[in-house]
Amino acid sequence: MINAAVYARYSSDNQRDESIDAQLRAAYEYCKKKEYRIVHEYIDRVQTATNDNRPEYQSMMADAKKKMFDVIVFHKIDRNARNEFDYYYHKTQLKKYNIRYEYVAQNIDDSPEGQMMEGIMVSFAAYYSRNLAGEVKKGHRENAHQQLWNGGTPPLGYDVVDRKLKINEQEAEAVRMAFRMRAEGKTFSAIIKALNEAGHLTKKKNKFTPNSISDLLSNEKYIGTYVFGKVTGGRSGPRNSHMNNPDAIRYENAIPAIIDRATWEMVRDKYAKRLKQSNQIETYLLSGLISCECGAPMCGGRVRNQKGILYVYYRCNDKKCKVGRIKRETVEEYVVECLLEHLNDPVKRKALAQNIEDHANTYSQIYTSHIAGIKKEIAALDRKAAKLLDAIETMGISSAIADRLKEIDKQKEAMTKKIQRASAAAASLVGRDQIEAVIDDCAFILKDNKNNPDKVRVVLELFVDSITVKQTTVDVVYKFAPNWWRRGESNP
């Protein structure tokens, strides 16, 4: 009996468990026909497939190493991954354990044609994801130019009505109270205490904290300014990076104001002074990579003790978790030193370079197969065109034949462009010498990490898959790396 694992996923808040149910139902019917025994379900809700940083997906891959099943069943390729590297990286890893992928709605076998089709579908899934992201951003920016709300939770003091922000007078009282007290010189602690004692709550119905007050007092929407894309974001540039976006969209007097300009200016001056005194902006190298053993992400934070000494840390988002905080310098230095040690070790370095080269070769094969498939399609179109020309010699040309020839020319032109794009992508794949040079550069950057935090962040994104903080150890999982690289063997 073949043991199967079933994986289901949806990525959007607009989707619901019905999407999961449909995927599972189809997978169970598929396994029943195949006479597979389902031994485990893995379900990720509201998780993107543009990377593999999904809790259940990672759990599934960990169980695969234990050889708990023989096959993983997905509904379609895009439920597995929309990132070419992640797809083939995990497929290569699973081959070591004799575990394969199968898809309910897509018949992909191990034949050359099947592998070519798999490569095309993976590329299409990745293209769709990137194109969709671009279209979503384009739509958001167009909404912003019309001063429409782009989704998410509105600021305290506002409700969304017909995609426009409207003042919620009950909540607005808390906003006015906070600004008035800050303009009078009251401390954050005093403002928090007063708001909480008065029974006011944040938009998410929680009590006020330093972070929520800080966000409130720095929000330009309260003076009527519509801002979209104020900071850069994404995996390589988290939204808390404080990096201003030069392409931000800004409209004055586009929102009903809750705070007058004079009060805003007074609060802003005090806020700027506070930022300068406390050196508020911090760099968190591991942001987006680091999580707690309980599964919750860890975020950066800072606090001053009674002696005025600043303590900067990463903390678990789950307040009930026993792991709590870990000093920023401690964990960052540990992760950087571990990676640097691996990159400088000749044996580990050679294995790393070989793995990266193997992945590049895999992509090269995919592009080659893709190009060959397109050329076959072009040859088929040429044969159709030849038959049409023969018909013209026999019967003369008609409007239908002329239109069909034009359509064939358009199809051939589109396919030729696809070949050009695939050829350019294949030519851009790095060779062994380039890989070695990149590793050299990365090792140098890590060695000089104090002076180049932005570059160090890029290196960490390149080689570190995830960092898990436990009560006694820190586990680091690497990309591209062989299984025998050290992972969390010591206590930082």
Side-chain angles (χ1 to χ4, degrees):
M1 176 70 73
I2 294 176
N3 291 330
V6 172
Y7 179 84
R9 175 191 67 81
Y10 67 72
S11 58
S12 170
D13 285 316
N14 294 325
Q15 295 172 289
R16 293 293 180 261
D17 282 348
E18 288 79 3
S19 174
I20 294 293
D21 292 340
Q23 293 176 52
L24 292 178
R25 189 182 310 111
Y28 270 80
E29 291 175 0
Y30 175 87
C31 290
K32 184 178 180 180
K33 291 179 182 178
K34 290 275 192 173
E35 297 185 347
Y36 294 167
R37 178 174 60 190
I38 297 176
V39 296
H40 207 297
E41 293 177 0
Y42 300 90
I43 301 171
D44 278 314
R45 293 175 170 83
V46 197
Q47 294 288 332
T48 177
T50 54
N51 62 68
D52 60 0
N53 189 24
R54 293 167 261 158
E56 285 291 285
Y57 192 92
Q58 289 296 329
S59 177
M60 180 176 69
M61 291 304 167
D63 289 344
K65 294 179 182 179
K66 303 173 186 176
K67 300 184 178 179
M68 294 177 61
F69 37 78
D70 307 300
V71 60
I72 302 174
V73 177
F74 302 86
H75 187 248
K76 290 183 178 180
I77 278 179
D78 63 1
R79 298 302 90 189
N80 182 350
R82 283 182 172 167
N83 175 298
E84 299 98 322
F85 171 76
D86 287 337
Y87 184 90
Y88 287 105
Y89 172 76
H90 287 298
K91 184 176 181 180
T92 301
Q93 296 299 308
L94 290 173
K95 279 185 178 180
K96 299 177 183 178
Y97 314 115
N98 294 319
I99 298 173
R100 66 185 182 276
Y101 293 147
E102 288 188 16
Y103 300 96
V104 175
Q106 294 165 328
N107 185 21
I108 298 174
D109 55 33
D110 291 330
S111 67
E113 293 79 8
Q115 295 305 296
M116 180 185 73
M117 183 59 65
E118 179 183 31
I120 292 172
M121 288 181 175
V122 172
S123 297
F124 280 177
Y127 170 79
Y128 173 81
S129 179
R130 292 166 187 149
N131 186 59
L132 177 62
E135 291 301 316
V136 169
K137 289 179 181 177
K138 188 192 302 181
H140 283 172
R141 291 186 68 82
E142 181 58 33
N143 288 342
H145 282 300
Q146 299 178 40
Q147 297 103 58
L148 297 176
W149 185 246
N150 259 318
T153 304
L156 183 70
Y158 291 104
D159 292 326
V160 180
V161 179
D162 295 329
R163 302 189 68 186
K164 293 276 190 176
L165 290 180
K166 303 294 183 183
I167 295 177
N168 178 321
E169 285 297 338
Q170 185 176 355
E171 293 180 356
E173 285 304 311
V175 176
R176 296 186 183 104
M177 180 178 175
F179 272 90
R180 183 173 62 251
M181 291 183 68
R182 187 57 179 162
E184 293 170 353
K186 298 294 193 295
T187 64
F188 274 28
S189 297
I191 298 171
I192 292 168
K193 182 180 179 181
L195 287 171
N196 289 335
E197 287 181 350
H200 292 298
L201 297 173
T202 67
K203 196 70 175 180
K204 295 184 178 180
K205 306 305 179 185
N206 297 319
K207 290 187 176 182
F208 285 91
T209 65
N211 282 342
S212 57
I213 288 297
S214 177
D215 291 342
L216 187 153
L217 294 176
S218 59
N219 195 332
E220 292 179 272
K221 292 181 179 67
Y222 293 126
I223 54 170
T225 302
Y226 182 105
V227 183
F228 176 76
K230 184 176 181 180
V231 296
T232 56
R235 172 85 183 258
S236 59
R239 289 191 60 80
N240 64 355
S241 63
H242 304 283
M243 295 172 63
N244 289 328
N245 182 5
D247 296 324
I249 296 171
R250 179 185 300 271
Y251 287 97
E252 304 289 341
N253 303 315
I255 300 170
I258 295 176
I259 303 300
D260 62 85
R261 178 71 62 171
T263 301
W264 167 263
E265 295 292 347
M266 291 177 64
V267 171
R268 187 181 66 172
D269 291 344
K270 293 179 183 297
Y271 191 75
K273 183 178 180 181
R274 180 176 181 270
L275 287 179
K276 185 176 181 180
Q277 290 175 341
S278 61
N279 189 25
Q280 180 73 20
I281 297 177
E282 297 285 354
T283 300
Y284 296 95
L285 296 178
L286 310 182
S287 178
L289 298 173
I290 189 168
S291 61
C292 176
E293 66 177 345
C294 72
M298 300 192 82
C299 59
R302 45 183 284 140
V303 66
R304 291 187 183 275
N305 62 20
Q306 294 179 347
K307 296 181 179 179
I309 298 174
L310 182 65
Y311 180 75
V312 187
Y313 55 84
Y314 291 93
R315 63 174 175 82
C316 178
N317 269 343
D318 187 345
K319 296 180 180 179
K320 298 179 181 179
C321 181
K322 295 180 180 179
V323 171
R325 301 174 178 176
I326 185 169
K327 193 175 181 180
R328 180 190 62 182
E329 286 76 9
T330 299
V331 66
E332 288 184 351
E333 288 177 7
Y334 172 74
V335 172
V336 169
E337 287 173 3
C338 284
L339 179 56
L340 183 59
E341 177 187 324
H342 295 321
L343 297 184
N344 285 333
D345 184 295
V347 177
K348 294 179 179 179
R349 176 196 181 95
K350 182 178 179 180
L352 174 68
Q354 185 62 55
N355 275 6
I356 298 175
E357 185 177 22
D358 289 344
H359 290 306
N361 290 337
T362 299
Y363 279 118
S364 178
Q365 293 170 9
I366 292 170
Y367 289 129
T368 299
S369 297
H370 185 43
I371 291 170
I374 296 173
K375 287 182 177 179
K376 286 183 180 179
E377 292 183 36
I378 291 176
L381 289 174
D382 285 336
R383 289 192 294 271
K384 290 180 180 179
K387 290 181 180 180
L388 291 172
L389 292 173
D390 289 341
I392 290 173
E393 291 182 1
T394 304
M395 300 178 295
I397 191 167
S398 66
S399 59
I401 293 178
D403 290 343
R404 182 59 182 140
L405 285 171
K406 289 180 181 178
E407 180 62 28
I408 288 174
D409 286 339
K410 287 182 180 179
Q411 290 177 340
K412 286 177 63 177
E413 182 181 357
M415 290 180 182
T416 300
K417 289 180 179 179
K418 287 183 180 179
I419 290 177
Q420 292 171 347
R421 289 196 295 268
S423 299
S428 68
L429 294 172
V430 295
R432 187 57 173 261
D433 291 342
Q434 292 171 294
I435 293 170
E436 295 281 357
V438 169
I439 294 175
D440 282 338
D441 290 342
C442 290
F444 178 79
I445 289 170
L446 292 179
K447 187 176 180 180
D448 192 34
N449 66 85
K450 298 296 183 182
N451 296 322
N452 294 295
D454 293 336
K455 291 182 179 180
V456 171
R457 170 70 191 188
V458 173
V459 174
L460 293 177
E461 286 280 357
L462 181 61
F463 290 110
V464 175
D465 181 77
S466 64
I467 302 158
T468 304
V469 177
K470 301 182 177 180
Q471 293 189 51
T472 57
T473 62
V474 173
D475 291 357
V476 184
V477 177
Y478 302 96
K479 298 176 183 176
F480 309 111
N483 293 330
W484 42 266
W485 272 35
R486 186 184 70 190
R487 299 184 179 190
E489 293 179 355
S490 63
N491 186 343

